Amino acid sequence: MSAMFELADGGIGLMPDPADNPDGHVVPHHDAGTRISFDLVNVGDVGGNARVTVECDGNVVGPEWTSGHLDPGVPDTGYVSLGRLGEGSHSVLVYVNPGSGRRDHQTNGFEVA
């Protein structure tokens, strides 16, 4: 087999980006950056690195997030900034490679105040 990764059941976390939140908002807000988090685990039988691509509203966001070397069974948490988003409804999609063929992508719809 090889290194293969799955996203954990917790889904995609959404929060104001602590690096761009001058007014201290506690929910995604147009006057602050938005950051996501996701958990993944190596379900393969050898170690390797996970690569995660993030899309917001159908557009790829920045470079891929890459984990450190993860041995089989070892989890990791990734964080990606989406930047400042306009008010209204948005959607985010994350997908991990190399995926296991199941639980290799997740979506989340959310509102920005």
Side-chain angles (χ1 to χ4, degrees), residues 12 14 28 33-36 53-62 80-86 88-95 106-112:
I12 301 168
L14 291 150
T34 299
R35 184 172 83 166
I36 65 165
T53 301
V54 176
E55 294 182 11
C56 184
D57 299 331
N59 299 304
V60 173
V61 176
V80 174
S81 176
L82 303 179
R84 290 192 178 206
L85 302 173
S89 298
H90 297 275
S91 64
V92 66
L93 163 69
V94 299
Y95 47 96
Q106 293 179 349
T107 61
N108 191 351
F110 61 99
E111 296 291 321
V112 172

Side-chain angles (χ1 to χ4, degrees), residues 10-60:
I12 301 168
L14 291 150
M15 66 215 75
D17 188 337
D20 181 18
N21 188 11
D23 297 327
H25 297 285
V26 295
V27 297
H29 194 277
H30 69 277
D31 281 337
T34 299
R35 184 172 83 166
I36 65 165
S37 65
F38 47 86
D39 296 319
L40 55 81
V41 64
N42 183 350
V43 296
D45 61 358
V46 298
N49 301 82
R51 298 179 324 278
V52 176
T53 301
V54 176
E55 294 182 11
C56 184
D57 299 331
N59 299 304
V60 173

